[in-house]
Amino acid sequence: MADDDFTTGDSGASSTYPMQCSSLRKNGYVMLKGRPCKIVDMSTSKTGKHGHAKVHLTGLDLFTQKKYEDICPSTHNMDVPNVTRKDYQVIGVSDGFLSLLDDGGVTREDLKVPDGDLGKEIEKKFNNGEEFMVSVMKALDEEHVIGTKVFS
């Protein structure tokens, strides 16, 4: 027992949970090829000679928008990522990183300005002195800004 190391600890909560394939729904989330995806299309085939209905899933990666597909027997379990979404007020943009303030008054400066049009929109709004918020989606210890909102 003396050689066990307990210096690091987390709550032990998993970043995914199992769900039966037939219970998944369009616009829900699922792990496809090891990536968290939003289900954009799914179809179920009839039971075949070997007795399992198959579910054909098509999903878009939450963060890269890359398309993934998978086929799974309807009675089998698939992993579903725990996805959270949080809004932050933008208080600064510097060196490609955002300074964000949450509703509890805590600041964080570890999120990058997203690539593409969304990043340009954020920098433009900030440079124009607008007050606005960004939505941050988190799944599997990965966080990305996915949109902007008018500050209310």
Side-chain angles (χ1 to χ4, degrees):
M1 279 301 273
D3 55 355
D4 288 338
D5 181 21
F6 295 110
T7 53
T8 62
D10 59 21
S11 64
S14 176
S15 52
T16 64
Y17 60 93
M19 187 183 235
Q20 193 168 338
C21 223
S22 57
S23 317
L24 296 170
R25 295 287 171 253
K26 196 172 173 181
N27 292 328
Y29 302 110
V30 70
M31 294 295 293
L32 296 176
K33 310 280 191 262
R35 296 291 302 158
C37 296
K38 182 173 188 169
I39 301 169
V40 292
D41 189 41
M42 65 184 292
S43 58
T44 307
S45 67
K46 290 190 173 149
T47 54
K49 185 166 68 172
H50 299 291
H52 282 289
K54 299 264 194 300
V55 178
H56 179 256
L57 295 165
T58 305
L60 290 178
D61 189 305
L62 291 177
F63 304 123
T64 64
Q65 300 305 309
K66 190 174 171 195
K67 189 184 217 178
Y68 291 99
E69 294 187 44
D70 202 1
I71 295 175
C72 169
S74 63
T75 55
H76 287 206
N77 283 345
M78 289 198 74
D79 284 332
V80 176
N82 287 317
V83 178
T84 57
R85 187 176 175 149
K86 193 168 180 184
D87 292 336
Y88 293 92
Q89 181 181 354
V90 177
I91 56 174
V93 178
S94 64
D95 298 330
F97 284 87
L98 296 168
S99 293
L100 303 172
L101 181 70
D102 73 2
D103 49 9
V106 179
T107 60
R108 58 182 292 186
E109 297 176 347
D110 58 339
L111 279 176
K112 285 188 174 179
V113 175
D115 298 329
D117 294 339
L118 181 59
K120 289 178 183 138
E121 178 190 345
I122 290 170
E123 287 180 342
K124 182 180 171 195
K125 280 186 173 188
F126 182 74
N127 291 335
N128 290 343
E130 293 180 42
E131 282 198 353
F132 66 101
M133 299 183 85
V134 291
S135 292
V136 176
M137 191 174 273
K138 178 179 181 175
L140 295 166
D141 298 327
E142 201 174 325
E143 288 184 289
H144 290 275
V145 175
I146 56 161
T148 62
K149 287 182 172 180
V150 176
F151 189 66
S152 53

